[in-house]
Amino acid sequence: MKYKKISQETLGNIKSIVGEKNVITDTNTIQPYSHDEVTDPAYHHMPEVVAYVESAQQAADLVKLANEHHFPVVPRGAGTGLACGAVPIYGGLVLSLAKMNKILEINEDALYAVVEPGVRTADLQAAAEAKGLFYAGDPCSGDSCFIGGNIATNAGGNRAVKYGTTRHQVYAIEIVSPTGKIMTLGARLQKQSTGYCLDQLVIGSEGTLGIITKATVKLLPKPQFTLDLLAIFHTVDAAIGVVNKIIKAGIMPTCVEFMDNITIQSIERYLNEKLQGSENGNYLIIQVEGINENDLDDKAVALDEICTESGSSSVLVADSEKIWRARKSFAEAVRAESLIVCKEDVVVPVDKEPQLLHEILLLAKKYNLITRIASHAGDGNVHLNIIKNKDLNYETWDKNIKAMQQELYKTIYALGGRLSGEHGIGYKRKHLMEEFTDPNELAWMKAIKKALDPNTILNPGKIFDVE
């Protein structure tokens, strides 16, 4: 795919649209925009220009300029992605939405908020909580990620088992289309059957079909009673096998999170803090909500019985702050061990998760790979991090990774799973997308991209390649 370089004349046009103070061209200053949270330099690519927009109109004008002069535009939020979705692999313009960071409205009566894309997820959660309300989206990177990026990737997180992923929290989005039109997709309705559901098409499309410039999201009354339990198991199979038993018992947990023992020890080293059962235990963190204290007590008793009957050595009322700090430190603990990491984000039906974890451990042994595993066990989404062995050169390690992936993804698709549960495909996994996706399904996706983005301007080279 070939694009024109951004000329000095075009650079002048960019500055006239957003203002000179909002344009960066200095090589050292734009270097952080060459990557997201993927630290492997093999995936880094430098942009030519970074521009901060402060309105949807500025974003639309930049996209129109890009179509006119044929340079790529890569939308970027906080840069916390894990699939190289915001990496400018063809150079061009990185369009930052970081300055569009206002919470425009919180409506306590109708239970919704209107936000710009650069609002941090944690800030929206805090603003809702201050009103006695609750925003259910909860990616583990909530302290740093933006709502716009959450929507673009359909971010998941800890609460998806009960509340769904980001797409389930969104009423409507304002976008800039790939040809520079400002459009509102969706509506603040409980139901509708009025043509194609275009808002849901754009949500999760990773910035390839539109730049999100505003969103209307759902709020809920804040749960008044919440309890975190920590169940410790000696075996992985026993821990993961509990999930369906909990749901079949009529208990709908808010979160069910798994970490294997070697990962717990990694986090323990990173935090320099002793974690309960870290000697040989595997964690299942279970959060439930109740209508009152008695309801919580009843659920705690039932969960204790289910976990104990399934092989748990102990079921404890967790120190909520400590246990969630440990769980949310997973990515940072891995990064502290190595900057060269293969991060898999696979997903299978919940009842197939024990089979998947069993296969992962077998493949890791077969290919001499060092793994760290955490999962959103309640929704079947497994985060497999594979750290580069210190005694292997990069080429050998990468070769082992690719051989393992071939076997792993054949197993995943045979189990009814997919490549990504929440991180997206981006640039990093697009070769796997081409290989493992049904050709007819892929052809539909490419046809949509070609129809809506005829000049292939918006975030090219992500999810799949278009000829």
Side-chain angles (χ1 to χ4, degrees):
M1 203 171 297
K2 293 185 178 180
Y3 294 92
K4 293 180 180 178
K5 293 290 185 181
I6 295 175
S7 67
Q8 285 301 310
E9 181 183 355
T10 302
L11 178 60
N13 292 334
I14 293 170
K15 290 178 179 179
S16 70
I17 291 169
V18 301
E20 190 162 356
K21 72 180 190 303
N22 285 328
V23 177
I24 304 171
T25 56
D26 174 69
T27 302
N28 292 329
T29 310
I30 65 174
Q31 194 280 331
Y33 297 87
S34 68
H35 61 87
D36 56 10
E37 286 293 312
V38 177
T39 49
D40 185 345
Y43 293 99
H44 298 184
H45 295 269
M46 289 286 282
E48 297 166 62
V49 180
V50 175
Y52 290 86
V53 296
E54 297 180 351
S55 69
Q57 189 59 59
Q58 287 182 353
D61 289 345
L62 287 176
V63 171
K64 289 174 184 175
L65 185 70
N67 276 275
E68 181 182 349
H69 294 280
H70 198 62
F71 61 84
V73 174
V74 178
R76 183 182 176 97
T80 57
L82 293 164
C84 305
V87 174
I89 62 175
Y90 296 106
L93 175 72
V94 166
L95 188 154
S96 173
L97 295 142
K99 290 192 174 182
M100 294 184 67
N101 57 5
K102 298 180 183 67
I103 297 175
L104 301 173
E105 180 184 2
I106 291 182
N107 191 304
E108 300 173 59
D109 296 323
L111 298 176
Y112 69 87
V114 181
V115 296
E116 291 184 328
V119 171
R120 281 195 321 148
T121 308
D123 291 339
L124 173 58
Q125 290 171 332
E129 189 170 349
K131 303 282 189 180
L133 302 174
F134 173 65
Y135 174 69
D138 189 37
C140 283
S141 58
D143 287 342
S144 52
C145 64
F146 293 167
I147 288 294
N150 293 175
I151 296 170
T153 58
N154 186 32
N158 303 317
R159 298 178 184 142
V161 59
K162 181 170 184 177
Y163 293 106
T165 58
T166 298
R167 70 169 69 253
H168 302 106
Q169 320 308 326
V170 178
Y171 277 125
I173 51 176
E174 177 188 84
I175 70 162
V176 172
S177 78
T179 54
K181 295 184 176 70
I182 299 174
M183 308 166 61
T184 298
L185 305 176
R188 194 170 58 79
L189 301 169
Q190 293 302 320
K191 64 178 183 179
Q192 67 158 316
S193 186
T194 313
Y196 295 155
C197 197
L198 296 178
D199 52 320
Q200 294 298 323
L201 174 64
V202 172
I203 295 171
S205 67
E206 303 185 39
T208 64
L209 299 180
I211 300 171
I212 295 153
T213 52
K214 188 162 60 177
T216 303
V217 299
K218 302 172 186 178
L219 300 178
L220 298 166
K222 181 184 175 184
Q224 296 300 304
F225 299 91
T226 302
L227 176 70
D228 293 306
L229 296 178
L230 173 62
I232 301 174
F233 295 82
H234 289 305
T235 70
V236 170
D237 287 349
I240 292 296
V242 167
V243 178
N244 262 13
K245 295 177 183 178
I246 292 171
I247 295 171
K248 282 177 66 178
I251 300 171
M252 180 50 69
T254 309
C255 313
V256 186
E257 298 292 303
F258 168 80
M259 294 190 292
D260 71 350
N261 180 254
I262 196 167
T263 301
I264 294 165
Q265 293 184 20
S266 169
I267 293 169
E268 197 173 51
R269 290 192 297 271
Y270 172 72
L271 294 175
N272 193 26
E273 182 177 306
K274 178 67 178 172
L275 298 175
Q276 213 155 4
S278 62
E279 296 82 8
N280 55 12
N282 300 278
Y283 278 8
L284 207 62
I285 305 165
I286 307 166
Q287 183 180 93
V288 288
E289 297 163 357
I291 57 174
N292 53 45
E293 298 264 5
N294 290 335
D295 184 32
L296 275 189
D297 289 343
D298 290 344
K299 287 176 179 174
V301 169
L303 288 166
D304 190 346
E305 291 175 355
I306 292 167
C307 291
T308 301
E309 289 171 2
S310 300
S312 174
S313 59
S314 58
V315 182
L316 313 164
V317 175
D319 178 331
S320 296
E321 183 178 345
K322 184 174 181 178
I323 200 64
W324 285 112
R325 182 171 66 251
R327 172 62 185 90
K328 293 189 176 187
S329 295
F330 169 61
E332 287 78 9
V334 170
R335 192 179 298 114
E337 291 192 76
S338 176
L339 293 178
I340 308 298
V341 184
C342 174
K343 292 177 176 284
E344 300 292 340
D345 168 51
V346 297
V347 62
V348 293
V350 174
D351 61 302
K352 302 295 184 183
E353 202 171 350
Q355 290 172 252
L356 173 59
L357 285 169
H358 181 71
E359 182 69 12
I360 286 171
L361 295 175
L362 286 177
L363 290 173
K365 186 175 181 180
K366 178 178 178 179
Y367 291 103
N368 185 29
L369 297 171
I370 301 170
T371 63
R372 301 290 182 263
I373 300 172
S375 83
H376 303 303
D379 59 34
N381 184 196
V382 176
H383 295 310
L384 166 65
N385 283 208
I386 307 171
I387 299 170
K388 181 187 168 299
N389 313 51
K390 290 181 180 178
D391 59 343
L392 290 180
N393 61 42
Y394 182 88
E395 291 71 23
T396 302
W397 176 77
D398 190 54
K399 181 180 177 182
N400 290 348
I401 291 285
K402 287 181 169 60
M404 181 278 295
Q405 285 176 327
Q406 286 298 309
E407 293 193 51
L408 176 64
Y409 286 118
K410 286 174 184 174
T411 297
I412 287 165
Y413 274 77
L415 293 173
R418 292 294 183 269
L419 292 174
S420 175
E422 59 185 14
H423 294 167
I425 302 302
Y427 160 52
K428 192 174 183 183
R429 297 188 186 91
K430 70 175 178 179
H431 64 290
L432 295 166
M433 181 79 173
E434 296 271 2
E435 182 175 356
F436 287 98
T437 304
D438 179 288
N440 294 318
E441 184 179 359
L442 199 60
W444 272 39
M445 293 185 199
K446 290 183 178 184
I448 291 168
K449 173 66 173 173
K450 288 178 183 178
L452 297 180
D453 189 2
N455 296 318
T456 323
I457 292 300
L458 209 51
N459 212 11
K462 310 300 166 52
I463 308 178
F464 44 74
D465 287 320
V466 177
E467 300 299 326

